[in-house]
Amino acid sequence: MAIQLFGFEITRRKTKDEDDRQQTFAIPQNDDGAVTVQSGSYYGTYVDLDGTVRNEIELITRYREMSIQPELETAIDEIVNEAIVQDESGNSVEINTDELKQPASIKRKIKEEFEYILRTLDFGNMGHEIFRRWYIDGRLFYHIVIDNEAPIQGIKEVRYIDPRRIRKIREVKKKKDSKTGMETVAQVNEYYLYNERGVVGTHSNLGAKIAKDAVVNCNSGIMDAKRAMVLSYLHKAIKPLNQLRMVEDAIVIYRLSRAPERRIFYIDVGNMPTIKAEQYLRDTMVKYRNKLVYDASTGEVKDDRKHLSMLEDFWLPRREGGRGTQIDTLPGGQNLGELEDVKYFEKKLYKALGVPLSRLEPQQGFSLGRSTEITRDELKFNKFIERLRAKFSTLFDDLLRVQLVLKRVCTEEEWKEFKEYIWYDFLKDNNFTELKDAELLQNRLANLQVVDAYVGRYYSMNWIKKNVLMLSDDEIEEMQKEMDEEQDALAQQQEAMGMDQQGQMQPGMDQQQMMPQQQPGMDQQMAPEDQQQMEQMQSSIDKFTVQPNEIEFL
């Protein structure tokens, strides 16, 4: 039965002339864990770590077994919780296209497709599990499902693939150059090999071939010495974890064997023969030793004298001529409460994972503090989390590339340019960056107040913007543009306010026109008191009336 190629492939067909122009003798660099084979060859990749791991399947299994250890699980939870932070609405990551030089419609379409990718992954609910799975295994595989009849509809579904069942293969076909005699790379074919029972070798008969673009591969980027296998971030913790387990087991065994106090019985057997001496010693043991055992099945307490445990007393014969029968006490082990060895290897384990020890000590309180109070370990841990996020973001890049190309938002070549100006903003629970930026801005503004007196005499405005405020040329240009726009808007607003005020008080309007006209005969009808009050109001109006030539426009 022939092996069929499942999935789809996004590519641009190259002409023969183009292939002839692009010649190289170097095999593509292996950064994705692909097995590079010559066309038609067959071999497998194996690695031996401490004599227990023989292939990639066993290595991934070991990583997963390590992750359930209590100390390691605590450290992994600390890393995952720091990397993936969700707000009240469940959002944890947003796409940023501010630097992308494209129309607003293209940016809006990219953001919509990215939100669709997050919904397809169910990242709002499964974000922690996806990141944890990637961190432990060191690799992540998803199969992209589309409608073959209507690929323009984009991605329909993404399905997780166990990394032990899939492997990326890179076949390299070479040809010999007639001029130099050197073999050059003629063609490179990449595909994924899938086998339900696990992939160990690289022969095409070992599984089904899947097109390269139909599978999304996101790995840790850590390779072994031969650059033939992807390693997990937990790989550094294999040896410290084994040492910690051995030290803990040794301490437990020592405490069980040395904790109780035991007695040593020296029994005088005189000149008895060896056989009779052993029988006499055994009879003495049975006579003086009682071993009460509780039977849980019957609820009875019975005497069990069949076996001598290593935690019980010692009975030793003593010949004639020495001291007589004697009973000594063997003291228990000393310094059983010392745990310095366990603490040392526990700290070594956490250092291998890059987690600050202060985060794992329960007596340590939580404090935001100032940036000057943040330890160097916290700074290193924050940078480590940023690197993890940047490497994990390749999952979004690959899925978004397929989605945009299928829906014809952009081409493959355009996406290579787009992704250089697109990045992903993860929500942060660690406020170190915000505190650091706030203090830096405060120090720069303080320096600006000091230098402001020398502007125009010794320093120019442009120099101060670059060397005191640390602004780049693009930031200076953008900020100047925004200030000009704000000043124009303010001037227009003040001019509109002046025109409104001028419209309310038209020129040539006298006091009698501003006052409502009185009906004839009203003066005769008013009482003397009302007439006097009316005159006072008229005098007040005459006092505060503003003439048109007294209005000043700002």
Side-chain angles (χ1 to χ4, degrees):
M1 181 177 178
I3 302 297
Q4 296 182 356
L5 189 66
F6 294 94
F8 59 94
E9 186 173 3
I10 302 173
T11 183
R12 181 174 62 88
R13 180 173 297 179
K14 295 183 179 180
T15 62
K16 185 177 180 181
D17 295 338
E18 186 178 358
D19 292 336
D20 293 339
R21 291 195 304 267
Q22 299 177 359
Q23 292 185 358
T24 179
F25 60 89
I27 299 176
Q29 188 176 0
N30 186 11
D31 291 331
D32 51 5
V35 178
T36 304
V37 298
Q38 299 292 335
S39 179
S41 63
Y42 166 75
Y43 67 89
T45 301
Y46 300 90
V47 63
D48 188 10
L49 302 171
D50 300 332
T52 56
V53 176
R54 293 173 295 179
N55 51 51
E56 191 172 7
I57 296 178
E58 295 186 7
L59 186 62
I60 296 176
T61 304
R62 164 173 277 200
Y63 292 150
R64 296 181 179 181
E65 291 175 353
M66 292 171 54
S67 64
I68 63 177
Q69 298 295 330
E71 295 85 0
L72 211 59
E73 186 177 9
T74 303
I76 293 174
D77 289 341
E78 191 70 28
I79 293 174
V80 175
N81 293 336
E82 186 71 23
I84 305 298
V85 181
Q86 292 184 344
D87 56 10
E88 297 178 354
S89 59
N91 298 325
S92 58
V93 58
E94 295 179 353
I95 190 171
N96 193 322
T97 59
D98 295 340
E99 299 295 331
L100 184 62
K101 306 300 181 182
Q102 294 294 327
S105 59
I106 299 295
K107 294 182 179 181
R108 183 174 63 254
K109 191 64 177 177
I110 292 176
K111 291 182 179 180
E112 293 176 356
E113 298 302 335
F114 177 73
E115 293 176 356
Y116 174 78
I117 292 296
L118 294 181
R119 292 194 301 270
T120 305
L121 290 171
D122 195 13
F123 203 79
N125 298 323
M126 300 294 296
H128 288 84
E129 296 299 327
I130 294 175
F131 189 89
R132 180 187 178 90
R133 189 182 297 162
W134 170 79
Y135 179 80
I136 294 175
D137 294 344
R139 66 217 78 196
L140 201 63
F141 292 91
Y142 279 98
H143 181 220
I144 300 176
V145 181
I146 67 171
D147 188 355
N148 294 327
E149 300 296 333
I152 196 174
Q153 296 180 3
I155 299 175
K156 293 295 184 181
E157 184 182 359
V158 289
R159 296 186 180 182
Y160 171 74
I161 305 175
D162 194 322
R164 297 176 296 182
R165 301 175 182 177
I166 192 170
R167 193 71 186 271
K168 188 175 183 180
I169 309 298
R170 181 182 292 112
E171 288 185 358
V172 179
K173 295 181 180 180
K174 291 187 175 182
K175 65 179 180 179
K176 183 175 292 186
D177 192 352
S178 59
K179 297 181 180 180
T180 61
M182 181 180 293
E183 291 186 348
T184 59
V185 177
Q187 186 179 1
V188 178
N189 296 326
E190 294 181 349
Y191 58 89
Y192 287 91
L193 199 64
Y194 178 79
N195 192 336
E196 188 68 25
R197 291 179 292 182
V199 178
V200 178
T202 58
H203 197 271
S204 60
N205 293 330
L206 297 177
K209 289 183 179 180
I210 305 176
K212 179 185 66 173
D213 292 323
V215 176
V216 173
N217 177 18
C218 177
N219 56 63
S220 63
I222 305 175
M223 307 292 294
D224 61 350
K226 298 180 180 180
R227 301 194 66 83
M229 184 178 296
V230 178
L231 303 180
S232 169
Y233 289 97
L234 299 182
H235 193 79
K236 300 177 294 184
I238 292 180
K239 185 176 181 180
L241 181 62
N242 292 335
Q243 292 174 336
L244 179 62
R245 295 277 83 84
M246 288 189 296
V247 170
E248 290 179 347
D249 294 341
I251 289 180
V252 171
I253 294 174
Y254 176 76
R255 289 189 174 185
L256 289 177
S257 60
R258 295 290 295 153
E261 293 185 356
R262 289 167 288 182
R263 293 171 297 177
I264 303 177
F265 292 83
Y266 297 96
I267 307 299
D268 187 10
V269 295
N271 294 326
M272 295 182 182
T274 303
I275 298 177
K276 290 186 177 181
E278 292 178 356
Q279 183 64 35
Y280 177 72
L281 181 62
R282 188 176 297 107
D283 294 341
T284 306
M285 290 171 57
V286 173
K287 183 177 180 180
Y288 290 99
R289 182 174 68 91
N290 293 326
K291 186 178 181 181
L292 300 179
V293 179
Y294 174 75
D295 190 356
S297 60
T298 60
E300 298 178 353
V301 178
K302 61 181 180 179
D303 189 6
D304 187 4
R305 307 183 183 184
K306 296 180 181 179
H307 307 287
L308 179 64
S309 173
M310 63 179 294
L311 302 180
E312 295 180 358
D313 301 332
F314 294 95
W315 298 77
L316 304 175
R318 177 175 287 176
R319 288 291 181 180
E320 184 182 7
R323 290 176 294 180
T325 301
Q326 180 183 353
I327 302 176
D328 292 340
T329 300
L330 183 65
Q334 304 296 325
N335 300 327
L336 296 179
E338 295 293 334
L339 295 175
E340 294 299 327
D341 295 341
V342 177
K343 294 180 179 179
Y344 169 77
F345 286 105
E346 187 176 9
K347 292 180 180 179
K348 187 176 181 181
L349 175 63
Y350 292 147
K351 287 182 179 180
L353 296 176
V355 180
L357 299 178
S358 58
R359 287 175 171 256
L360 303 171
E361 296 178 0
Q363 64 271 17
Q364 294 290 337
F366 176 77
S367 176
L368 291 177
R370 297 169 59 86
S371 62
T372 54
E373 301 174 359
I374 296 178
T375 61
R376 182 174 294 272
D377 291 338
E378 284 290 338
L379 177 60
K380 292 172 58 178
F381 184 65
N382 182 66
K383 293 182 178 180
F384 173 64
I385 295 298
E386 293 294 334
R387 292 197 303 269
L388 290 181
R389 288 171 171 172
K391 197 63 183 178
F392 180 74
S393 298
T394 56
L395 173 65
F396 302 139
D397 282 338
D398 294 340
L399 289 174
L400 193 58
R401 175 186 66 88
V402 175
Q403 180 72 359
L404 295 178
V405 173
L406 290 179
K407 303 198 76 171
R408 299 180 182 177
V409 178
C410 65
T411 62
E412 182 78 12
E413 289 75 14
E414 290 175 342
W415 168 252
K416 293 179 181 180
E417 181 182 356
F418 285 1
K419 71 176 183 179
E420 299 297 331
Y421 303 97
I422 293 177
W423 64 89
Y424 306 95
D425 293 333
F426 288 83
L427 295 183
K428 298 178 181 179
D429 194 19
N430 192 344
N431 296 331
F432 169 75
T433 304
E434 183 179 353
L435 294 172
K436 180 187 67 175
D437 295 340
E439 290 191 11
L440 287 176
L441 180 60
Q442 184 178 0
N443 294 333
R444 291 171 183 173
L445 294 178
N447 294 333
L448 181 62
Q449 293 179 355
V450 177
V451 182
D452 186 57
Y454 305 98
V455 176
R457 296 177 59 188
Y458 303 104
Y459 302 104
S460 63
M461 291 292 297
N462 192 30
W463 186 91
I464 291 178
K465 292 179 181 179
K466 290 183 177 181
N467 297 276
V468 178
L469 297 178
M470 299 300 175
L471 298 177
S472 62
D473 294 337
D474 296 337
E475 291 175 343
I476 294 175
E477 182 179 357
E478 183 180 359
M479 199 164 294
Q480 186 64 37
K481 182 180 178 180
E482 292 178 357
M483 288 189 296
D484 293 340
E485 293 177 354
E486 292 175 356
Q487 291 179 359
D488 293 341
L490 181 60
Q492 293 177 3
Q493 182 179 4
Q494 292 177 350
E495 183 179 357
M497 292 175 60
M499 292 178 63
D500 293 342
Q501 188 175 5
Q502 184 179 6
Q504 292 177 1
M505 295 174 291
Q506 298 178 1
M509 181 180 295
D510 54 6
Q511 292 84 353
Q512 295 180 359
Q513 293 177 349
M514 296 178 62
M515 290 295 296
Q517 297 181 0
Q518 298 178 356
Q519 297 180 0
M522 184 178 293
D523 295 339
Q524 290 79 6
Q525 297 177 1
M526 284 186 179
E529 296 82 0
D530 296 337
Q531 184 69 24
Q532 184 180 3
Q533 185 177 2
M534 192 66 182
E535 293 177 355
Q536 293 177 358
M537 291 177 60
Q538 184 65 33
S539 61
S540 299
I541 292 175
D542 295 340
K543 182 179 180 180
F544 292 101
T545 299
V546 181
Q547 300 299 327
N549 56 2
E550 295 178 355
I551 300 176
E552 294 182 2
F553 294 97
L554 298 178

